[in-house]
Amino acid sequence: MTATPCDADQGLVGALERVVGESFVLTDPDLRAPYEVDWTRRFHGSARLVVRPKDTDQVGQVLRCCHEAGAAVVTQGGNTGLVGGGVPDRGEVVLSLTRLDDLQEVDTLAGQVSVGAGVTLARVQEHAAASDLHFPVDLAARDSATIGGMIATNAGGIRVLRYGSTRAQVLGVEAVTVDGRVLTRMDGLVKDNAGYDLAGLLTGSEGTIAVITRARLRLVPRLQHRVVALLALDSIEVAQKTLRRVRTAMPSLEAAEVFFADGLDLVLEQTSATAPFAAPHPVYLLLECAAREDPTEELAAALEEVEDLLDVAVGTDAESRARLWELREAHTAAISAAGVPIKLDVSLPPARIGAFLARLDDVVAAIEPAARSIVFGHLGDGNLHVNLLGADPADYNLEAGVLGLTTQLGGSISAEHGIGRAKVAWLHLQRDPTDMAVMSAIKRAFDPDGRLNPGVLFPRR
Ligand code: 2HG
Ligand code: ZN
């Protein structure tokens, strides 16, 4: 462990200033403000200070100083999380990792790259593309979301059906323990069964057991030829049948996203996007295929088999593909422009999606008649984003109702966004007492005093 200036007399602020430099310890309320509220504006709190180290060694020293001072720490990346897991609650130190933005040279032989936790997803994607490789996780917040946050939350996104979630791309991590020790598993060995898979354990741990500072990522071959099709359909059942058919016919399918008439209306109202069809339709299914050869003909042939296709728009060049994607990706921003939503992120067995959607509005109306739901998501993964507008964001009954419906139908209360602070009260719907006891034991082994992200994943002690 590196010697630190923690035992200096100046208290925590002075000690941290000596570690990272004065300008990277923010105590002024105006400077702290952007770190104290999440993207949704639903979760906010106050931070004792914000500290911005530049590398792993400084993260180690910062954590050691906080440990010695008994200070709780909330780790923050790009602050694009949607469940309040990266913002302070009650005067914690915010440890912002955006300066850890080092990109190593791509290892083309292994098809891997090592990157700092603070590198944005878009930069990793561009860096891989420059070596004719591809980092296969993708999501709308790509310009701000950081790799560290994506690993901490096991981010999903739009290409899970082909490549898996972030976990499937993490070959190693470096992380710092609550008392400042550095844990390094960065060899990138594809086969390595020598003991517990610590990188796997840290993936999805939401900053509660250690602070991820670097990662070794898997890259895949870059597929140059892409086609996007937006299908207009009559019902979710037809969308699911269509998806099954295309999935079977086309191994090149890499995204299958769903949205509905009310969500598209909101997008058209709140953004500069233009309507894809002359008339509105009940359900929209957006498909993207990517291959070494142009998959357009193959997709057209697969779609010829689809009965009940009300309309279709196809994008073959980058611009027309982006226009179709915008209709789906702008949902989050359009909803946020209309109010502060209650965001639920559920997954369901495919056979239960119809029942969930059929019952959702009744469940919501029975609890809060003024609320309305906008649903969209990753149909290929059975993952629906349920956004409730027009309700008090602090109304926990609505969450209880919708998450209760989800678990009754055999689904998950968090498909990809994590538990954060938002879903702690509902975790018992999903994990039984034995699960919870094992998870708590792991938490205690890493963080005996509960100082890493208190109130996230587990209730406050
Ligand atoms: C997406 O799929 C994100 O675009 C955000 O997971 C979902 O805004 C949401 O509810
Ligand atoms: Zn999503």
Side-chain angles (χ1 to χ4, degrees):
M1 201 187 304
T2 326
T4 72
C6 307
D7 36 14
D9 293 334
Q10 314 92 314
L12 187 60
V13 173
L16 294 181
E17 284 176 349
R18 285 162 60 115
V19 173
V20 300
E22 251 176 61
S23 52
F24 296 110
V25 178
L26 317 180
T27 51
D28 181 293
D30 288 343
L31 297 178
R32 287 186 343 236
Y35 299 85
E36 294 179 326
V37 59
D38 82 330
W39 192 90
T40 67
R41 311 185 299 278
R42 188 175 174 208
F43 299 96
H44 40 80
S46 66
R48 174 170 175 175
L49 58 89
V50 177
V51 58
R52 303 186 57 219
K54 73 170 174 25
D55 57 21
T56 304
D57 182 57
Q58 288 193 355
V59 173
Q61 294 190 55
V62 164
L63 283 172
R64 188 167 157 208
C65 291
C66 290
H67 182 65
E68 287 181 13
V73 175
V74 170
T75 306
Q76 191 178 96
N79 201 7
T80 58
L82 300 172
V83 288
V87 286
D89 184 24
R90 302 184 194 170
E92 296 87 355
V93 167
V94 171
L95 173 56
S96 166
L97 298 186
T98 52
R99 290 179 71 218
L100 275 72
D101 61 354
D102 178 48
L103 278 171
Q104 301 271 296
E105 198 179 319
V106 171
D107 177 344
T108 48
L109 194 59
Q112 298 177 6
V113 66
S114 297
V115 308
V119 177
T120 63
L121 170 59
R123 278 191 67 215
V124 175
Q125 289 172 336
E126 281 159 23
H127 187 58
S131 296
D132 210 22
L133 289 165
H134 176 60
F135 181 62
V137 180
D138 197 13
L139 35 87
R142 58 185 74 77
D143 291 319
S144 317
T146 59
I147 289 296
M150 289 175 61
I151 296 174
T153 55
N154 183 27
I158 56 184
R159 311 209 186 274
V160 172
L161 75 81
R162 185 165 189 180
Y163 297 106
S165 60
T166 300
R167 171 171 281 117
Q169 329 307 330
V170 176
L171 289 168
V173 297
E174 174 192 81
V176 182
T177 60
V178 69
D179 54 359
R181 288 168 300 151
V182 180
L183 240 164
T184 308
R185 303 289 305 156
M186 289 285 286
D187 299 328
L189 295 171
V190 174
K191 286 193 158 179
D192 177 13
N193 277 347
Y196 290 159
D197 175 8
L198 295 178
L201 178 62
L202 281 160
T203 306
S205 62
E206 302 194 35
T208 60
I209 54 179
V211 174
I212 296 164
T213 46
R214 288 198 303 144
R216 182 83 178 166
L217 303 174
R218 176 176 88 108
L219 303 175
V220 299
R222 191 155 81 106
L223 301 169
Q224 301 274 20
H225 297 278
R226 291 181 176 270
V227 60
V228 173
L230 182 67
L231 317 187
L233 304 161
D234 215 19
S235 67
I236 190 71
E237 288 75 16
V238 176
Q240 287 186 282
K241 258 187 12 216
T242 304
L243 173 55
R244 173 44 54 211
R245 204 163 287 165
V246 175
R247 222 168 164 163
T248 309
M250 302 202 57
S252 62
L253 182 71
E254 65 177 54
E257 302 282 307
V258 70
F259 51 95
F260 298 86
D262 52 359
L264 180 61
D265 278 352
L266 199 61
V267 167
L268 298 177
E269 227 172 86
Q270 301 285 352
T271 72
S272 57
T274 48
F277 305 116
H281 297 289
V283 182
Y284 300 95
L285 177 64
L286 185 146
L287 305 173
E288 177 161 331
C289 298
R292 291 206 177 282
E293 308 288 332
D294 184 359
T296 309
E297 291 299 311
E298 202 188 344
L299 182 60
L303 294 181
E304 259 168 34
E305 315 265 293
V306 176
E307 299 144 28
D308 313 317
L309 187 55
L310 302 178
D311 213 336
V312 60
V314 178
T316 47
D317 57 286
E319 205 184 300
S320 56
R321 291 197 309 261
R323 263 203 308 275
L324 293 177
W325 265 113
E326 188 192 1
L327 301 171
R328 155 63 180 89
E329 291 200 325
H331 270 67
T332 301
I335 289 164
S336 188
V340 177
I342 296 177
K343 280 189 172 292
L344 301 162
D345 159 44
V346 304
S347 64
L348 292 142
R352 301 292 178 83
I353 286 182
F356 176 83
L357 291 171
R359 286 165 62 187
L360 177 65
D361 283 346
D362 286 346
V363 168
V364 171
I367 300 166
E368 174 50 275
R372 67 170 170 143
S373 64
I374 303 285
V375 180
F376 61 99
H378 316 284
L379 189 63
D381 314 323
N383 177 189
L384 298 177
H385 296 307
V386 179
N387 281 255
L388 303 173
L389 280 168
D392 175 0
D395 184 349
Y396 285 89
N397 292 325
L398 268 174
E399 305 203 54
V402 178
L403 297 180
L405 174 65
T406 304
T407 51
Q408 265 170 39
L409 292 172
S412 168
I413 63 163
S414 174
E416 58 175 9
H417 297 167
I419 296 299
R421 297 186 197 291
K423 310 282 158 46
V424 173
W426 318 118
L427 194 52
H428 68 94
L429 294 174
Q430 193 85 49
R431 312 292 298 244
D432 71 21
T434 308
D435 277 12
M436 289 305 298
V438 171
M439 289 204 293
S440 300
I442 293 170
K443 165 79 175 165
R444 275 197 307 277
F446 277 87
D447 178 22
D449 303 313
R451 297 214 182 103
L452 291 179
N453 272 10
V456 170
L457 200 48
F458 303 93
R460 272 183 177 276
R461 288 194 208 153

